[in-house]
C-alpha cells in the first residue's frame, strides 16, 4: 500500500488546531497520532509532499510529480476539501489565514501573538471555533457574514441565541447580512473592506464553507454530483472501476431527504475511509445514508443538532411540527448544573422524528448521537414523550429535556 | 385535592441527601422545591405528620389518625419504600442511620462531625453514594455486603471494577460475601459484629435493598405482586375501583422479560405519579413497561446501565451475546478527557439490543437514556455498529464507545 499526500504529514487531528490557537491544548505536537517511523514500521509507504497530477482510470495508472507513472490495482481518493474561495481583491496579501494545515498553523500561531485585531470572513463551523480562540488570545474580533445569524445553514436562530449573547459579552463585533468586499494593505493586510465599511485588522480568518477538493477526479472523468463532490455508491466506489473515494471530497445522500450532502464531519470521513479501504481490499462493507449528528463548542456553549432544524426544513419545503423545551443537565441544586435547550421536529403524518437542535452546557454530543439513531430508526415523537430517563442529582435532572421537547411537540400537534 | 403525609414535608429531593452529607451541596434547604405556603397558594391542602390508618375501598373512605373517616372519589397511593429490615440484634441502638427523611438527615449531619468510623450494612445504590459522602467527611468506612461485589444485583464485576479500585485508593475497607450479624454497644452503637469479625464503629448506614411500603394497601385487600409491590395496570389503577398507586410502592413489568420490578428511580416515580394523577382526574395516559436506564456517581466514577447486564441476564436464564469497548469521552489530547467503558448485550436470534452497562468519567446518564430507548425500539446491534457520531475535540471522541461496543458484539456473533 502506497499513500501519496501533498502535505508534510498524515493522520494528525486538524480538528484540534483551533484549540491549540486558543491555548486549551498546550502544543501542536499533541495532535499527532503516530510518528512517521511508526507508519513505516507498520509497512505503510507514505510519499510526503508529493503531488498526484492525474489519474488514467482506463490504464489503472496515476501520474505522480517527480515519480512518473504508477500502476494501481485499487485506488482510494481522499483529497478532502478546501474553503470556498471568497475571490476578493487583495486576496494575496499576507495576514489571510485558512485554518487547515498543521505546519502552517505552527507558523500562524506565532503571528497571533502580534495581532491586535482580526476579521472573520464568513462564519462556518471552524470559524466559530476560531472566534473563541482569538478571544482567548486577547484579539479583538469582528465577524462579517452574509447570513442572518451564525451558521445559518445548520442552526436555528433561537438555538444559536445564547452563543450570540456570549460573543457580545466577550466583546466580539458581529456584522450579519454583510459581506467582505476587499482586503487592503501594503503587502500585508492592514484593513478589510465590507458592505458595512472599513475595518482595521492585521488578520483575516477565511471561514467560508467547505467545498470538495475533487479537481483530480473531475479531470479523470470520474462522475461528480451537484455539490461538486465525487459520487460514490454504498461501497464507496466511484464511477470509475477500482476507484474508491472517501471523506470530504465525496457527496453522501441524506437519510431523510435523499439529497446529497458534502462537508460532513471527521467521524464521517473516518467511517467512510474504513468502508472504502475494506471494499478496496476485497471484503464488503456498506456505508449508510447520513442523518448528520453534529455538535461543537461555541464560546461557553455547546451547540449541535441532527438532520433538520426549522430553518433548513423550511428551506427545502419540508413540513414539520416542532417543539422546544428548556431543561437542566443535573439536579437544580447540584454544582455544575447547566441549562440545556432541545428542539425536536417531527413529520406531520408519521409523527417520526426528522430533526433536532440543541444548545447547552454539557451532554450535547451524546444527545445528538442518540437523536441521529432515533431519526434513522423511525422513532416517533410519542416514543420520545414516554422515554425513561436517569435521574441522579450529580449527573442528570428529574426531567430529561429530550422528553420535555417531545411533550411540547405533542402539544403542538394538538393545535 | 387533599394530601396526607406522615412526614414533615412534601416534594423535596431526598436523592440529594447523600450529597449534602458529602458537602457537595451546601445546605438541606437547597433540596426543597417550594415552601409550604406555595403549595397552599396553589390550592393543595397538605396534612403534614398525619397517618392514614386504613382504607375502606368499598365505602370509598380512608381513616385518618386524629381526623376520623374521610371520603374520597379517587385515591392515589404513593406510600413509597422502606429499607429491607436487616432484623439484627442491637437494631435499636443509637447510631444506626437509614438515609431517607430530610429532617432526620439534618440531625444526622451534625452527628457525622463526631464520627470517626462507620460500617455500611449492605451496599445498595444509596449506600454507594453514602460511601463517597463518608469518605468526603474523613470518616473511615467499612462496607459489609453478602454479594460478591458492589451492587451485584444490577452491575457486572468488570464494569464496577474501577469503582472498587477507587474505593481502595480512598481507604475504604470492603468485605464482600460477608454479613453483619449484630450491632453492639451500650445504648449507643460502638461496634458491629460480622461474619468476618468485630468492627469498631460509631455509625452504621443501613444500605439494604428497597422494599415497597405497601402495608396500607395489603390491609385494604388491594392486590400485591410477587415483589410485595402494589399491582397496577397501564393507567396505574390498582385492583380496587378508583384507587391508583404510583412510585416505589408499586411493581411495574420489565419491557424485555415481562418480570415485575420494584424499586425504580425518582424519574420513574415522577412519571408514574403524573400518569396516576391524570387518570384519577378523568383523562387517559398509559404508563409503559420499563427498560430501567440507571446511572449514578460512585466515588470518582459514573456507573450505569440499562435492563440486563451479563450477571442479571445469566441469573434469569436469558441467552445473550455481549461485547465491550473501552473508549474516551473527548479527543485524547483535550483537557478533561475521561475514560469510558460500554458493554452491550444482544439477543442471539433477533440481534436486538437487550441491555447495557457503562462506567466512565462523563456522559454516562445520556448514553443510558439513549440505550433504554434503543432497547424499547428494538434497535439491533447492527444499527448501533453503523451509527453516526459527533466528533469534536472538546466534547466527543472520533470513536463513539457505543459504536465500538456494537462492533465488538458483531465480532462475538461471528465466533
Amino acid at each position: 500500500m502506497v499513500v501519496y499526500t501533498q502535505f508534510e504529514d498524515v493522520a494528525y487531528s486538524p480538528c484540534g488546531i483551533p484549540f491549540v490557537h486558543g491555548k486549551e491544548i498546550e502544543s501542536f505536537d499533541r495532535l499527532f497520532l503516530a510518528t512517521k517511523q511508526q507508519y513505516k514500521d507498520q509497512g505503510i509507504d507514505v510519499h510526503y509532499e508529493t503531488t498526484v497530477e492525474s489519474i488514467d482510470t482506463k490504464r489503472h495508472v496515476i501520474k505522480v510529480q517527480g515519480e512518473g507513472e504508477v500502476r494501481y490495482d485499487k485506488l482510494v481518493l481522499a483529497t478532502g476539501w478546501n474553503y470556498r474561495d471568497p475571490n476578493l481583491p487583495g486576496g494575496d496579501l499576507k495576514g489571510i489565514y485558512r485554518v487547515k494545515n498543521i505546519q502552517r498553523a505552527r507558523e500562524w500561531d506565532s503571528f497571533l501573538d502580534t495581532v491586535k485585531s482580526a476579521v472573520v470572513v464568513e462564519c462556518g463551523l471552524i470559524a466559530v471555533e476560531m472566534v473563541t480562540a482569538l478571544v482567548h488570545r486577547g484579539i479583538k474580533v469582528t465577524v462579517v457574514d452574509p447570513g442572518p445569524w451564525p451558521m445559518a445553514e445548520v442552526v436555528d436562530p433561537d438555538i444559536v441565541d445564547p452563543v450570540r449573547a456570549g460573543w457580545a459579552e466577550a466583546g466580539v463585533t458581529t456584522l450579519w447580512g454583510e459581506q467582505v468586499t476587499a482586503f487592503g494593505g501594503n503587502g500585508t493586510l492592514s484593513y478589510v473592506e465590507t458592505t458595512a465599511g472599513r475595518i482595521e485588522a492585521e488578520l483575516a480568518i477565511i471561514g467560508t464553507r467547505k467545498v470538495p477538493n475533487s479537481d483530480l477526479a473531475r479531470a479523470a472523468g470520474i462522475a461528480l454530483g451537484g455539490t461538486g463532490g465525487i459520487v460514490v455508491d454504498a461501497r464507496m466506489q466511484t464511477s470509475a472501476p477500482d476507484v474508491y473515494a472517501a471523506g470530504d471530497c465525496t457527496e453522501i445522500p441524506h437519510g431523510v431527504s435523499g439529497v446529497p450532502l458534502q462537508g460532513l464531519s471527521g467521524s464521517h470521513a473516518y467511517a467512510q475511509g474504513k468502508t472504502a479501504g475494506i471494499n478496496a481490499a476485497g471484503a464488503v462493507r456498506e456505508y449508510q445514508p447520513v442523518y448528520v449528528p453534529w455538535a461543537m463548542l461555541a464560546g461557553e456553549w455547546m451547540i449541535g443538532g441532527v438532520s433538520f432544524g426549522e430553518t433548513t426544513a423550511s428551506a427545502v419545503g419540508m413540513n414539520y411540527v416542532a417543539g422546544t423545551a428548556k431543561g437542566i443537565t443535573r439536579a437544580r441544586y447540584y454544582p455544575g448544573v447547566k441549562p440545556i435547550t432541545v428542539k425536536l421536529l417531527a413529520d406531520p403524518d408519521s409523527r417520526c422524528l426528522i430533526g433536532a437542535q440543541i444548545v447547552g452546557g454539557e451532554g450535547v454530543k451524546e444527545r445528538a448521537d442518540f437523536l441521529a439513531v432515533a431519526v434513522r430508526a423511525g422513532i416517533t415523537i410519542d416514543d420520545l414523550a414516554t422515554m425513561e430517563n436517569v435521574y441522579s442529582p450529580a449527573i442528570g435532572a428529574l426531567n430529561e429535556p429530550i422528553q420535555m421537547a417531545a411533550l411540547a411537540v405533542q402539544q403542538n400537534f394538538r393545535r
Side-chain angles (χ1 to χ4, degrees), chain A residues 202-281:
Chain A
E202 309 98 81
L203 173 70
I205 301 285
I206 301 298
T208 52
R209 63 175 295 163
K210 288 158 81 174
V211 292
N213 181 9
S214 53
D215 292 349
L216 201 57
R218 179 189 286 113
I222 293 168
L224 306 186
T227 70
I230 301 168
V231 174
V232 289
D233 66 13
R235 295 180 66 187
M236 306 307 290
Q237 297 192 96
T238 69
S239 62
D242 299 319
V243 181
Y244 299 79
D248 282 318
C249 61
T250 68
E251 64 174 37
I252 303 288
H254 188 289
V256 177
S257 67
V259 172
L261 302 179
Q262 65 70 225
L264 303 172
S265 78
S267 60
H268 290 94
Y270 181 78
Q272 291 165 25
K274 284 205 287 192
T275 305
I278 285 167
N279 287 296

Side-chain angles (χ1 to χ4, degrees), chain A residues 66-87:
Chain A
E67 298 187 19
E69 288 199 340
V70 179
R71 222 195 111 68
Y72 64 80
D73 295 323
K74 305 279 181 180
L75 182 70
V76 178
L77 299 175
T79 45
W81 60 280
N82 290 310
Y83 289 99
R84 182 181 60 67
D85 190 345
N87 230 328

